[in-house]
Amino acid sequence: MTQTVEVLSQWVPIALSNMIETGTSAGVVAKGAEIVVWRDSSGVAHAWEDRCPHRGMKMSFGFVRGDHITCLYHGWEYDQSGTCQYIPAHPEVEVPKSICVARYGVAEAGGLIWAQLPLGSDESSFAGLPAMEGVKSVYIDASYATVLSVLRKQGCADGAVANVMILDRDGATMTIGIQPISNAQCALHITVPKGCAGDVRESILDWSEELRRSIEELEVVT
Amino acid sequence: MILHNYDLFENCYRVRLVASCAEVALELINVDAFPGAEEKSPEYLKLNPMGRLPILEDNALVLRNLSAILIYVAEHDIDKRFIPDEAKDRAQMMDWLGFACDDLAVAVQARAVALLDATGDVVELRAQARTLFRILDDHLTRQSLRGANFVAGDAPSLADLALFPAFALSRDFNLDHDEFPALRLWARRIRLLPGFITMPGIPDYH
Ligand code: FES
């Protein structure tokens, strides 16, 4: 008998758009899932399982070449659909179409790159967010619950979509994407409206570093 | 100029990287540091009683301190690209050079414990290196807000070149790059500098 476990699909912000430049890749973890996020030469972002089908090397250790991402280990090259196109050790061989990296649904909105968890969820369209600009991603050694409760105390309100909070501070309205990494770690991706002044952005940096410090101290005490 | 060199030592790579970017010719003498510990042999202890590499020799001059070596090499750059002229810029560069050569010694040690049989508590050293990477990531985020792409201004300096290896090699001691987006972008800019070279553990993407 087979049992089906219903897992709700969920969009999670995994990076600030401006931190993943064209032609680069990075490793991220969202709710324990290891993801490579990369941007191809035409500027399109991709979020895949961070695992090369060949021998399991992290794809995020590899590098982007044009519209392909190449594994660092043996140089297998994958196209935007995740399909392996080239195996350097066997250049004459036509690569079987079955060699593929598993992909996450991906969206880019509100200055953030989003991945849809879990792997293989039906790609549902992503609700729009207003255009924003990334200021900083802050990585905090604390659980999602702790970070959330501190943000609420600071006056954060829920945003228009899940995993987003809004905070008015220093004359700017920040939109903060929250990325649960593990039980003990979270990332906050802080964005501001376009045209937000430089000194306001600087004070947001001060605030974010202080926030990280105070939350982590809290975690040490409890 | 002679560099007594071991290819897998991060601090020797720092010197080779600066020399390559500054277009200063180095003669390399390769020392059997691992597992031979030749830098601790009687002949080498005469050159450097601390029993460490790198050592830079220029005729009668013998230098053993990392930042002294890096500055000496960078000053021989005909175009003086990596040492700012102006006192304030130069001081800021020196500030980060100290961070690279002194504070980040914990990253060098973490890697030496993980790869080269050195003694030390790799968990503790990794935690210390992570704290320092955060400081650098915070700083570079501020710098880019002010329109400066590098640690001490909008031009790459000796400090950037000295800082790069610690970050680029941190996976050797299991410190990943996920948490340091500003460092990732900065490291990419360093990679694009004319004369940039790699070492084992730092992949060449081309
Ligand atoms: S593990 Fe990726 S190419 Fe071999």
Side-chain angles (χ1 to χ4, degrees):
Chain A
M1 218 171 75
T2 52
Q3 240 184 335
T4 46
V5 182
E6 185 105 8
V7 186
L8 283 180
S9 88
Q10 188 182 29
W11 286 97
V12 177
I14 53 172
L16 290 172
S17 291
N18 59 6
M19 287 291 150
I20 307 294
E21 288 181 342
T22 293
T24 66
S25 62
V28 301
V29 178
K31 299 196 161 189
E34 296 188 340
I35 302 173
V36 54
V37 50
W38 65 282
R39 197 184 288 286
D40 66 34
S41 53
S42 58
V44 177
H46 305 270
W48 297 356
E49 186 178 22
D50 197 3
R51 197 179 166 283
C52 177
H54 180 220
R55 294 266 179 85
M57 180 73 162
K58 280 192 173 194
M59 290 304 300
S60 55
F61 287 12
F63 49 96
V64 179
R65 205 184 258 160
D67 55 4
H68 290 197
I69 184 163
T70 301
C71 178
L72 186 64
Y73 211 2
H74 312 97
W76 290 24
E77 276 184 46
Y78 301 87
D79 68 13
Q80 295 118 311
S81 73
T83 311
C84 184
Q85 293 293 355
Y86 183 65
I87 297 178
H90 305 283
E92 70 292 346
V93 168
E94 190 172 332
V95 183
K97 291 280 164 282
S98 57
I99 304 179
C100 287
V101 187
R103 291 181 297 162
Y104 289 92
V106 65
E108 207 159 1
L112 300 160
I113 300 177
W114 300 76
Q116 191 184 29
L117 302 185
L119 210 52
S121 14
D122 281 339
E123 195 156 338
S124 54
S125 64
F126 184 80
L129 280 173
M132 301 286 271
E133 274 175 5
V135 176
K136 186 181 171 79
S137 295
V138 190
Y139 292 79
I140 304 177
D141 292 343
S143 70
Y144 188 72
T146 307
V147 172
L148 219 58
S149 77
V150 173
L151 285 176
R152 287 232 160 84
K153 265 185 223 143
Q154 297 226 355
C156 263
D158 289 340
V161 298
N163 296 319
V164 158
M165 300 207 90
I166 310 288
L167 179 61
D168 283 315
R169 237 201 98 85
D170 299 320
T173 301
M174 287 185 253
T175 302
I176 304 172
I178 308 179
Q179 172 192 350
I181 296 173
S182 66
N183 293 335
Q185 221 195 2
C186 277
L188 301 182
H189 304 290
I190 303 170
T191 67
V192 293
K194 291 200 159 97
C196 174
D199 55 338
V200 173
R201 292 175 194 238
E202 287 221 30
S203 73
I204 288 173
L205 292 183
D206 293 338
W207 168 78
S208 72
E209 288 166 25
E210 181 50 37
L211 180 77
R212 180 180 62 198
R213 200 162 25 237
S214 60
I215 295 178
E216 290 185 350
E217 275 166 14
L218 217 64
E219 284 290 285
V220 172
V221 174
T222 49
Chain B
M1 244 181 258
I2 297 171
L3 176 68
H4 296 269
N5 170 65
Y6 180 62
D7 274 346
L8 299 183
F9 280 170
E10 179 170 347
N11 286 344
C12 295
Y13 167 60
R14 283 181 155 108
V15 183
R16 298 196 304 274
L17 177 63
V18 169
S20 176
C21 292
E23 296 177 90
V24 173
L26 278 186
E27 185 189 329
L28 296 185
I29 295 185
N30 288 312
V31 180
D32 174 23
F34 187 78
E38 196 188 347
E39 76 278 19
K40 297 185 173 67
S41 66
E43 300 77 52
Y44 265 103
L45 287 176
K46 251 182 259 163
L47 268 182
N48 181 5
M50 272 91 76
R52 259 198 328 249
L53 295 177
I55 303 166
L56 192 82
E57 267 190 285
D58 196 15
N59 298 314
L61 179 71
V62 180
L63 298 175
R64 291 103 31 131
N65 175 276
L66 182 58
S67 42
I69 293 173
L70 296 177
I71 291 169
Y72 189 73
V73 172
E75 275 181 337
H76 284 75
D77 174 8
I78 303 173
D79 300 325
K80 289 267 169 23
R81 277 161 279 200
F82 300 109
I83 302 182
D85 275 338
E86 209 267 311
K88 237 166 141 182
D89 296 342
R90 193 186 172 96
Q92 207 193 353
M93 187 282 282
M94 294 295 286
D95 196 53
W96 284 103
L97 184 64
F99 185 88
C101 296
D102 306 333
D103 299 296
L104 276 173
V106 293
V108 176
Q109 188 61 20
R111 182 173 169 274
V113 174
L115 289 191
L116 302 164
D117 276 357
T119 52
D121 178 351
V122 77
V123 175
E124 177 54 30
L125 290 164
R126 187 192 304 128
Q128 289 175 11
R130 180 179 179 235
T131 305
L132 296 170
F133 284 7
R134 267 188 177 179
I135 292 169
L136 190 53
D137 194 82
D138 290 348
H139 174 67
L140 283 163
T141 306
R142 273 200 173 64
Q143 286 289 93
S144 69
L145 207 56
R146 295 166 186 165
N149 270 327
F150 295 92
V151 292
D154 200 27
S157 70
L158 185 57
D160 294 283
L161 296 176
L163 288 162
F164 173 82
F167 181 65
L169 291 165
S170 73
R171 284 166 176 158
D172 282 352
F173 58 92
N174 273 320
L175 183 55
D176 222 324
H177 293 174
D178 298 21
E179 286 178 36
F180 311 106
L183 275 173
R184 287 200 304 263
L185 293 183
W186 162 84
R188 182 159 184 254
R189 291 192 282 273
I190 305 283
R191 281 181 166 278
L192 295 173
L193 295 179
F196 175 81
I197 52 168
T198 58
M199 69 166 270
I202 302 179
D204 192 349
Y205 293 157
H206 301 288

